[in-house]
C-alpha cells in the first residue's frame, strides 16, 4: 500500500467529510442509488452486505466505516496498478488524488490527461491551473480546492 497508516486514516476521514453518511438509500447527484459514504448500491459486494447483516439498509455508521476501509484499500491497489507513477508523489498529494478518484472513478480520472502530465512532472502550478479550469472543479469546488491546497503544500 502506498500510504502510511496515518495517511490512510487521513484519507478515510477526508472521504467521510466529503461524502457524508446516510443510513438509507438516496439518489446521488447523478441519479444513482447510494448509501453509507457514497457507496453505489449496485456495486456493494456480498461480503460488504454481509457486514450489515445481509441487508443494504439501514446501514450503521460502524458498518459503513468498515466498508469504506475495504473500498479504499481496493481503490488504492487498483489505482497503483493503473497509475504506478502516483506512488512516487508526496503523500499529501496522493491523499488528494485518491479522494478525487474515489469520487470520479479510475476512468473519470483518466480524462484528466494534462493534469496527470503535470503531476508526473511535479509541475504543481500547471496541475493546479488545469484542476481549477475543470468541469469537476465547477461541480465540486470544495473537493477540488482541497486537492489544490494539497498541491500547494507539496510545492512548498
Amino acid at each position: 500500500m502506498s500510504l502510511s497508516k496515518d495517511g490512510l486514516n487521513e484519507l478515510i476521514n477526508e472521504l467521510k467529510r466529503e461524502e457524508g453518511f446516510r443510513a438509507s438509500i438516496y439518489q446521488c447527484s447523478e441519479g444513482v442509488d447510494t448509501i453509507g459514504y457514497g457507496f453505489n448500491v449496485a456495486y456493494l459486494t456480498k461480503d460488504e452486505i454481509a457486514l450489515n447483516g445481509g441487508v443494504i439498509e439501514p446501514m450503521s455508521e460502524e458498518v459503513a466505516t468498515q466498508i469504506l476501509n475495504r473500498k479504499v484499500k481496493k481503490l488504492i491497489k487498483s489505482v497503483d496498478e493503473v497509475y504506478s507513477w502516483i506512488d512516487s508523489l508526496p503523500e499529501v498529494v496522493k491523499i488528494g488524488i485518491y479522494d478525487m478518484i474515489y469520487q470520479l472513478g479510475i476512468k473519470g480520472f483518466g480524462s484528466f490527461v494534462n493534469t496527470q502530465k503535470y503531476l508526473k512532472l511535479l509541475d504543481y502550478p500547471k496541475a493546479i491551473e488545469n484542476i481549477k479550469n475543470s468541469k469537476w472543479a465547477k461541480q465540486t469546488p470544495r473537493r477540488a480546492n482541497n486537492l489544490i491546497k494539497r498541491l500547494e503544500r507539496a510545492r512548498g
Side-chain angles (χ1 to χ4, degrees):
M1 180 165 308
S2 63
L3 287 179
S4 68
K5 186 175 181 181
D6 287 345
L8 182 61
N9 288 334
E10 186 177 337
L11 174 59
I12 296 288
N13 289 330
E14 188 168 300
L15 289 169
K16 284 180 170 183
R17 273 192 312 276
E18 291 296 334
E19 296 291 337
F21 170 76
R22 301 252 189 113
S24 298
I25 295 173
Y26 66 97
Q27 289 199 329
C28 74
S29 61
E30 299 294 316
V32 174
D33 284 346
T34 308
I35 195 165
Y37 292 110
F39 310 141
N40 181 329
V41 171
Y43 294 127
L44 287 172
T45 67
K46 288 180 183 179
D47 288 344
E48 291 166 346
I49 294 169
L51 290 171
N52 202 40
V55 298
I56 295 173
E57 67 178 334
M59 183 178 286
S60 70
E61 279 192 69
E62 180 182 337
V63 168
T65 297
Q66 290 174 11
I67 292 171
L68 180 63
N69 276 295
R70 288 180 178 203
K71 288 192 176 297
V72 166
K73 287 176 183 174
K74 284 181 196 172
L75 174 86
I76 290 170
K77 187 175 185 223
S78 297
V79 169
D80 289 352
E81 287 172 4
V82 176
Y83 300 106
S84 59
W85 56 269
I86 289 175
D87 198 36
S88 66
L89 298 175
E91 186 161 271
V92 67
V93 174
K94 288 192 281 192
I95 292 167
I97 292 172
Y98 291 135
D99 175 36
M100 179 184 190
I101 296 172
Y102 183 87
Q103 181 189 20
L104 295 175
I106 290 178
K107 287 182 182 178
F109 180 69
S111 68
F112 283 75
V113 176
N114 288 329
T115 301
Q116 287 180 43
K117 176 177 74 174
Y118 295 128
L119 288 170
K120 285 180 196 175
L121 295 171
L122 305 180
D123 189 341
Y124 297 141
K126 286 187 180 171
I128 288 168
E129 188 178 322
N130 270 266
I131 292 165
K132 283 181 178 178
N133 293 325
S134 71
K135 181 179 173 185
W136 175 67
K138 289 168 183 58
Q139 292 173 332
T140 54
R142 188 178 71 208
R143 213 164 196 156
N145 285 329
N146 190 2
L147 176 55
I148 289 166
K149 286 177 188 169
R150 289 179 169 285
L151 291 167
E152 288 169 343
R153 287 201 325 249
R155 78 173 188 201

